[in-house]
């Protein structure tokens, strides 16, 4: 550890504390998950459903796309309703109508205000009272409620079964005509919807909040934010302010005097290595990155169009075979694949450099095998999604080979296992290059951090295998967010930080001391908020108040390091002036600058907008969430993967030079398109929905009546402008990569290299002075960091 001992112990302490919290309250999720009754019976003794039939309904819901068709507990797609909120509201209205006719002999709407208030009081008492008996594992409902359940189930049976009178509703919800053809499975699915609504309406303890902490907002039964929700929201804001203040003070008083910046070498040290066979083989990875990126972008446009023309594409009926739920599945899975491929390629490019410019034995063979395994998983999982959602695949195979039904981990379990094995194989390939360097003498702290992030990426994706097809939804959500939040937003962030530090150090642009200290400090900050911050996704997923408290408190700290990313962006930007050869990697550097900007805006500002419990109570399941998701997923990880791709391309095709006109189009049109997409369409729609959710309830903000009003349809059409601009940028960067991979000699150099004196007078120093400046302070990678 040496002089970094304090930083290492800080990181180790942070990880120990945060994973202890994540594990302890994870056990709490298991213990306190909403029970699935072994039997649901009516007051008169009729059996309505069982635990097995409810879980059968869960699997039926998974097979039609699950979270890609509407949402459950606020998690999923945004065009169709949130089925929990929608079912609950419909069942409540049915109960009130039945009660009005039974007690007053007239429809509910014809009652006086006093009579309606009396029935609403009875309604709240009936629905919030917990009639589940843990001793007998039985839930008893009144005969009136049993009839309300039956009426609501009939509506859903007709909606998913293709009844002609609901064709317009299906079009508004972007559903295919016969979404679930099997009668029995539709009946089971309605039972699963009932259970999610029961958990949202029933108090966990008498006089306390429901199993979902009073979410969704439903005035009919007084579902409103709890006192704890408000308290921990205030605490999260206070902690954010304190964290930012602490960071500023620490930055001012605790950091040591910066060393003199190293003088950049006259030539790029990375180019002093001969390309290894495994590095030369990475061209096909880069092609797959941009191929999947382009596919994802066009799929995204298709998905966006379905929000205004729910069953077709400019008059062409496409939903019969390519429905919204399938397009959205492919859109998200393509993003996960191409971004991950960009990161994996970056690691494989660095491995030989770390190994002293040599490939370990059979490294190229391993790189080739991993590539074709990746192709097999992509093709197999996409085909499985198609056959499952179109109900061609047998029901018992759907979860394993078709569609798991859970957002971001939609691929069938078989393909998920293969993907995990592929990532573990990548870890082995990486460690074969890293292990020898770790054994060399010298300062290995930066390399050790990079190695730890590689191991975490290789292993933590396996958390997605911790739940099964019939796992309680609350437990599943806990593990799903280990993948979506912890694996992606946590360990990939540390990997990116360490990888960039190692690259810049290897180039002789940043001293080893500064790179190591900054990377260790950044890792501690990211993990402090990021690990327990996973719980901010679980406020309303059947968890208890302590989970909300931990999630709200620590997720506020996630934003703290993002406030100084403007400084990081400036540091990355100014590197291009340190040496004339840096002009040749100007565009990868600009993409890294964009990463810092979108990390601040997309992950920081737009992320914290929905993080406090009181905000998320009204915003969960609205278009404010994809506003944050697009800005953070593409803005941060997308730009980062593209930056890695361009950087690798520059080195594995040394004769290629970026086309300035093409790259300007790519960079600025991608950024401008993303801004327009977010701020002229997604965010305005989300804000208007927020007003409806706060005043009427989530059911209304996601209803057909609300979403199809002219203003919101116009705003969704307006998104086309941003989408087209973004598509042009995507095609430009992809064409640059294709030209570089397959036609490197055809690339044109726009303008001569600027003279050294234009960038820094320091380049005129003698070779001896330069060598002295570099002595013991920079890492070329060849020696493992000790020279």
């Amino acid at each position: 550890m040496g002089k970094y001992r304090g930083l290492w112990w800080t990181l180790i302490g942070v990880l120990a504390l945060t994973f202890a919290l994540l594990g302890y309250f994870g056990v709490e999720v298991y213990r306190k998950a909403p029970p699935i009754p072994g039997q649901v019976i009516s007051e008169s003794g009729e059996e309505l459903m069982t635990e097995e039939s409810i879980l059968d309904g869960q699997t039926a819901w998974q097979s039609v796309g699950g979270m890609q068709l509407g949402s459950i507990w606020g998690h999923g797609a945004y065009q169709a309703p949130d089925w929990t909120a929608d079912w609950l509201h419909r069942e409540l209205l049915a109960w009130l109508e039945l009660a009005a006719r039974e007690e007053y002999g007239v429809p509910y709407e014809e009652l006086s205000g006093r009579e309606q208030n009396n029935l609403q009081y009875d309604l709240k008492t009936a629905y919030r009272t917990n009639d589940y008996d843990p001793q007998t594992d039985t839930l008893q409902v009144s005969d009136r409620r049993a009839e309300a359940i039956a009426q609501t189930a009939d509506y859903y049976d007709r909606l998913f079964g293709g009844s002609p009178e609901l064709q317009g509703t299906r079009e508004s919800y972007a559903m295919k005509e016969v979404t679930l053809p099997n009668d029995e499975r539709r009946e089971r699915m309605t039972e699963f919807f009932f259970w999610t609504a029961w958990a949202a309406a029933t108090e966990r303890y008498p006089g306390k909040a429901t199993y979902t902490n009073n979410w969704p907002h439903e005035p009919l039964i007084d579902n409103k934010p709890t006192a704890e929700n408000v308290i921990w929201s205030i605490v999260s804001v206070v902690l954010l302010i304190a964290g930012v203040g602490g960071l500023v003070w620490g930055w001012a008083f605790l950091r040591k005097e910066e060393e003199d910046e190293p003088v950049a070498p006259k030539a790029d040290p990375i180019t002093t290595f001969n390309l290894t066979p495994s590095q030369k083989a990475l061209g096909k990875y880069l092609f797959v990155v941009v191929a999947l990126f382009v596919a994802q972008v066009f799929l995204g446009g298709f998905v966006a169009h379905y929000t205004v023309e729910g069953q077709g594409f400019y008059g062409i009926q496409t939903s019969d075979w390519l429905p919204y739920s399938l397009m959205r599945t492919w859109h998200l899975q393509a993003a996960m694949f191409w971004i991950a491929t960009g990161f994996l390629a970056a690691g494989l490019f660095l491995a030989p450099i770390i190994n002293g410019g040599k490939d370990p034995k059979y490294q190229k063979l391993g790189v080739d095998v991993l590539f074709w395994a990746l192709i097999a998983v992509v093709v197999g999982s996409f085909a499985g999604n198609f056959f499952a959602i179109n109900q061609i695949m047998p029901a018992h195979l759907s979860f394993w080979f078709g569609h798991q039904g859970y957002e971001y981990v939609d691929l069938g379990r078989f393909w998920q296992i293969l993907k995990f094995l592929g990532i573990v194989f990548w870890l082995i390939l990486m460690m074969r290059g890293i292990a020898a360097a770790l054994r060399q003498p010298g300062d290995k702290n930066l390399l050790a951090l990079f190695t730890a992030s590689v191991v975490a990426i290789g292993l933590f994706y396996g958390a997605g295998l911790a739940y099964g097809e019939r796992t309680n939804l609350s437990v599943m959500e806990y593990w799903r967010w280990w993948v979506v939040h912890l694996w992606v937003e946590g360990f990939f962030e540390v990997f990116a930080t360490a990888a960039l530090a190692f690259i810049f150090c290897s180039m002789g642009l940043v001293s080893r001391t500064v790179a190591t200290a900054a990377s260790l400090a950044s890792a501690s900050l990211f993990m402090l908020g990021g690990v327990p911050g996973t719980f901010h996704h679980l406020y309303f997923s059947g968890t208890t108040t302590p989970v909300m408290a931990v999630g709200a408190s620590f997720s506020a700290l996630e934003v703290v390091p993002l406030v100084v990313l403007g400084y990081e962006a400036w540091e990355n930007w100014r590197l291009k002036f340190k040496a004339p050869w840096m002009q040749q990697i100007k565009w990868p550097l600009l993409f890294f600058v964009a990463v810092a900007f979108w990390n601040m805006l997309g992950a920081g500002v737009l992320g914290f907008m929905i993080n406090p419990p009181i905000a998320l109570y009204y915003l969960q399941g609205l278009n404010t969430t994809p506003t944050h998701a697009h800005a953070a997923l593409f803005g941060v990880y997308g730009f980062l993967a593209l930056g890695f791709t361009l950087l690798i391309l520059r080195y594995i095709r040394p004769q290629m030079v970026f086309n300035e006109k093409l790259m300007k189009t790519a960079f600025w049109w991608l950024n401008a398109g993303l801004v327009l997409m977010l701020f002229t369409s997604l965010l305005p729609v989300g804000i208007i929905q927020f007003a409806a959710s706060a005043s009427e309830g989530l059911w209304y903000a996601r209803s057909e009546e609300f979403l199809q009003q002219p203003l919101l349809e116009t705003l969704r059409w307006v998104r086309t402008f941003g989408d087209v601009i973004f598509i042009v940028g995507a095609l430009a960067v992809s064409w640059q990569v294709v030209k570089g991979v397959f036609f490197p000699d055809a690339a044109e150099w726009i303008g001569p290299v600027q003279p050294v004196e234009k960038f820094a007078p320091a380049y005129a120093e003698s070779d001896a002075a330069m060598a002295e400046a570099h002595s013991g302070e920079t890492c070329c990678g060849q020696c493992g960091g000790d020279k």
Side-chain angles (χ1 to χ4, degrees):
M1 292 184 182
K3 57 185 175 181
Y4 309 106
R5 184 179 302 275
L7 290 170
W8 273 112
W9 280 115
T10 299
L11 178 57
I12 292 169
V14 164
L15 290 173
L17 170 66
T18 54
F19 273 99
L21 287 170
L22 191 65
Y24 177 83
F25 289 106
V27 173
E28 186 77 356
V29 171
Y30 273 85
R31 291 197 307 111
K32 298 295 186 179
I36 303 177
Q39 187 181 37
V40 181
I41 61 174
S42 68
E43 197 173 14
S44 58
E46 179 188 1
E47 182 178 86
L48 304 179
M49 60 194 79
T50 65
E51 179 182 7
E52 288 303 305
S53 68
I54 291 170
L55 291 174
D56 286 343
Q58 179 174 306
T59 65
W61 165 73
Q62 291 163 348
S63 73
V64 298
M67 290 179 177
Q68 302 297 359
L69 182 62
S71 58
I72 292 287
W73 290 347
H75 294 152
Y78 308 98
Q79 184 62 13
D82 180 88
W83 304 116
T84 301
D86 190 69
W87 175 289
L88 178 59
H89 190 72
R90 290 180 183 278
E91 186 187 326
L92 295 176
L93 291 181
W95 190 98
L96 286 172
E97 190 64 31
L98 289 168
R101 294 185 181 276
E102 288 175 12
E103 297 187 20
Y104 298 99
V106 295
Y108 178 75
E109 291 299 323
E110 296 181 11
L111 297 178
S112 67
R114 182 186 296 273
E115 291 167 338
Q116 288 185 351
N117 286 339
N118 288 339
L119 289 185
Q120 287 185 24
Y121 176 83
D122 293 341
L123 177 77
K124 175 183 173 181
T125 302
Y127 275 76
R128 294 185 68 91
T129 299
N130 194 335
D131 290 319
Y132 170 69
D133 184 352
Q135 302 301 320
T136 60
D137 195 19
T138 300
L139 169 64
Q140 184 181 80
V141 299
S142 67
D143 289 337
R144 181 185 293 168
R145 184 169 185 180
E147 177 60 26
I149 292 169
Q151 290 183 14
T152 309
D154 176 68
Y155 165 79
Y156 280 100
D157 181 73
R158 291 183 289 115
L159 179 67
F160 282 83
S163 292
E165 71 274 12
L166 291 175
Q167 190 278 327
T169 300
R170 282 189 292 275
E171 184 174 1
S172 297
Y173 293 164
M175 297 172 64
K176 61 183 297 184
E177 271 308 291
V178 184
T179 306
L180 185 56
N182 186 284
D183 295 344
E184 183 180 351
R185 298 190 78 212
R186 284 201 306 276
E187 183 179 352
R188 299 288 83 78
M189 186 172 66
T190 65
E191 295 173 6
F192 171 67
F193 287 168
F194 159 77
W195 174 77
T196 68
W198 171 81
T202 303
E203 293 176 353
R204 185 187 295 273
Y205 308 110
K208 301 295 184 182
T210 69
Y211 285 105
T212 57
N213 286 313
N214 284 1
W215 187 94
H217 180 217
E218 178 51 81
L220 284 176
I221 56 170
D222 210 20
N223 260 16
K224 60 185 180 182
T226 62
E228 292 84 355
N229 183 308
V230 177
I231 290 168
W232 289 107
S233 297
I234 295 172
V235 168
S236 72
V237 174
V238 172
L239 285 174
L240 171 62
I241 297 171
V244 171
L247 182 63
V248 171
W249 279 75
W251 185 273
F253 288 95
L254 299 180
R255 67 191 180 111
K256 298 178 180 178
E257 284 293 322
E258 291 185 356
E259 306 171 348
D260 293 335
E261 291 187 358
V263 178
K266 288 183 176 180
D268 184 348
I270 293 181
T271 61
T272 62
F273 297 106
N274 291 323
L275 284 171
T276 68
S278 74
Q279 289 176 318
K280 293 177 182 178
L282 292 176
K284 54 183 173 288
Y285 280 78
L286 308 187
F287 172 73
V288 166
V289 168
V290 295
L292 285 174
F293 176 41
V294 169
Q296 188 227 347
V297 168
F298 279 100
L299 287 167
F302 204 158
V303 170
H305 187 79
Y306 266 139
T307 66
V308 292
E309 189 182 351
Q311 295 181 326
F313 189 76
Y314 293 101
I316 303 172
Q317 186 77 5
T318 54
S319 64
D320 290 342
W321 294 103
L322 300 173
Y324 171 90
S325 55
L326 178 62
M327 294 296 96
R328 193 172 189 272
T329 296
W330 284 352
H331 175 62
L332 289 181
Q333 285 304 297
M336 297 296 285
F337 278 123
W338 75 259
I339 291 173
T341 301
F343 277 75
L344 300 186
L348 294 172
F349 174 76
L350 285 174
I353 297 176
I354 295 169
N355 195 44
K358 306 183 296 295
D359 270 344
K361 194 173 183 180
Y362 303 121
Q363 184 79 351
K364 180 183 181 299
L365 175 62
V367 168
D368 290 339
V369 168
L370 180 61
F371 173 79
W372 291 110
L374 169 68
I375 297 300
V377 171
V378 171
V379 173
S381 62
F382 275 41
N385 296 152
F386 176 86
F387 290 122
I389 288 177
N390 286 304
Q391 299 296 299
I392 298 172
M393 182 175 289
H396 67 281
L397 298 178
S398 183
F399 180 85
W400 279 91
F401 297 96
H403 202 299
Q404 290 190 41
Y406 299 128
E407 198 176 24
Y408 292 105
V409 282
D410 307 87
L411 70 174
R413 176 54 57 87
F414 174 76
W415 308 110
Q416 185 186 15
I417 292 172
L418 289 186
K419 183 177 179 180
F420 175 60
L421 293 177
I423 295 171
V424 170
F425 185 57
W426 171 81
L427 170 60
I428 294 171
L429 293 176
M430 291 295 300
M431 292 307 299
R432 294 171 76 242
I434 292 172
L438 286 172
R439 290 192 293 266
Q440 297 296 320
D443 183 352
K444 297 297 180 298
N445 286 275
L446 181 57
L447 184 57
L449 179 63
F450 178 73
T451 305
S453 69
V454 167
V455 172
I457 287 175
L459 298 181
F460 269 83
Y461 182 74
L465 304 176
Y467 62 85
E469 181 178 7
R470 300 168 76 84
T471 299
N472 185 293
L473 195 61
S474 293
V475 174
M476 180 284 303
E477 282 286 64
Y478 172 72
W479 290 111
R480 183 173 76 93
W481 287 110
W482 270 59
V483 176
V484 182
H485 178 95
L486 189 57
W487 185 63
V488 175
E489 298 182 37
F491 292 113
F492 266 110
E493 190 87 50
V494 176
F495 172 83
T497 300
L500 285 175
F502 193 88
I503 289 169
F504 294 147
C505 179
S506 299
M507 290 177 173
L509 303 173
V510 180
S511 75
R512 183 180 65 242
T513 302
V514 170
T516 303
S519 297
L520 284 168
S522 297
S524 295
L525 285 172
F526 287 136
M527 292 293 99
L528 177 62
V531 176
T534 303
F535 283 132
H536 82 254
H537 300 283
L538 301 176
Y539 295 155
F540 313 118
S541 296
T543 57
T544 54
T545 298
V547 169
M548 179 186 292
V550 172
S553 301
F554 283 90
S555 66
L557 298 179
E558 287 185 84
V559 183
V560 171
L562 305 183
V563 301
V564 296
L565 287 181
Y567 179 81
E568 178 185 313
W570 164 247
E571 288 294 304
N572 289 341
W573 166 257
R574 64 193 289 270
L575 289 177
K576 78 186 188 74
F577 299 109
K578 295 196 69 172
W581 49 266
M582 283 295 292
Q583 289 296 299
Q584 299 179 39
I585 59 170
K586 174 182 72 174
W587 288 108
L589 283 179
L590 278 173
F591 274 69
F592 298 145
V593 169
V595 170
F597 170 78
W598 286 107
N599 223 336
M600 179 274 297
L601 180 60
V605 176
L606 297 176
F608 191 73
M609 174 182 72
I610 62 174
N611 268 9
I614 190 62
L616 197 59
Y617 181 85
Y618 293 109
L619 296 175
Q620 182 158 288
L622 306 184
N623 277 270
T624 46
T625 301
T627 301
H628 159 62
H630 281 80
L633 184 60
F634 177 77
V636 179
Y637 298 100
F639 269 118
L640 192 55
L642 290 175
F644 280 143
T645 298
L646 294 170
L647 190 67
I648 297 166
L649 177 65
R650 177 64 193 86
Y651 285 115
I652 67 172
R653 298 291 187 267
Q655 70 272 37
M656 183 221 69
V657 180
F658 292 116
N659 182 300
E660 289 289 301
K661 185 175 181 180
L662 201 57
M663 289 308 301
K664 283 180 180 177
T665 302
F667 180 78
W668 292 112
W669 286 53
L670 282 173
N671 279 284
L674 185 56
V675 167
L676 289 173
M677 183 194 312
L678 299 178
F679 296 106
T680 66
S681 182
L682 283 175
L683 186 58
V685 171
I687 291 172
I688 295 170
Q689 284 184 296
F690 165 54
S693 175
S695 59
E696 301 290 335
L698 178 65
W699 68 272
Y700 179 64
R702 291 278 296 275
S703 68
E704 176 185 10
E705 173 190 359
F706 184 81
L707 286 175
Q708 300 309 313
Q709 59 182 296
L711 174 60
L712 294 187
E713 283 199 340
T714 300
L715 286 172
R716 293 200 294 273
W717 273 112
V718 165
R719 178 176 166 174
T720 304
F721 295 104
D723 284 355
V724 170
I725 292 171
F726 189 87
I727 288 171
V728 172
L731 291 174
V733 71
S734 299
W735 179 236
Q736 175 66 88
V737 172
V738 170
K739 286 178 65 177
V741 169
F742 297 107
F743 316 106
D745 295 324
E748 298 179 0
W749 172 253
I750 307 299
V753 173
Q754 298 295 330
V756 169
E757 291 78 9
K758 174 170 177 129
F759 298 106
Y763 296 149
E765 294 181 13
S766 67
D767 290 344
M770 187 180 300
E772 182 179 353
H774 282 292
S775 177
E777 296 301 330
T778 59
C779 170
C780 69
Q782 187 172 8
C783 62
D786 62 327
K787 295 181 181 179

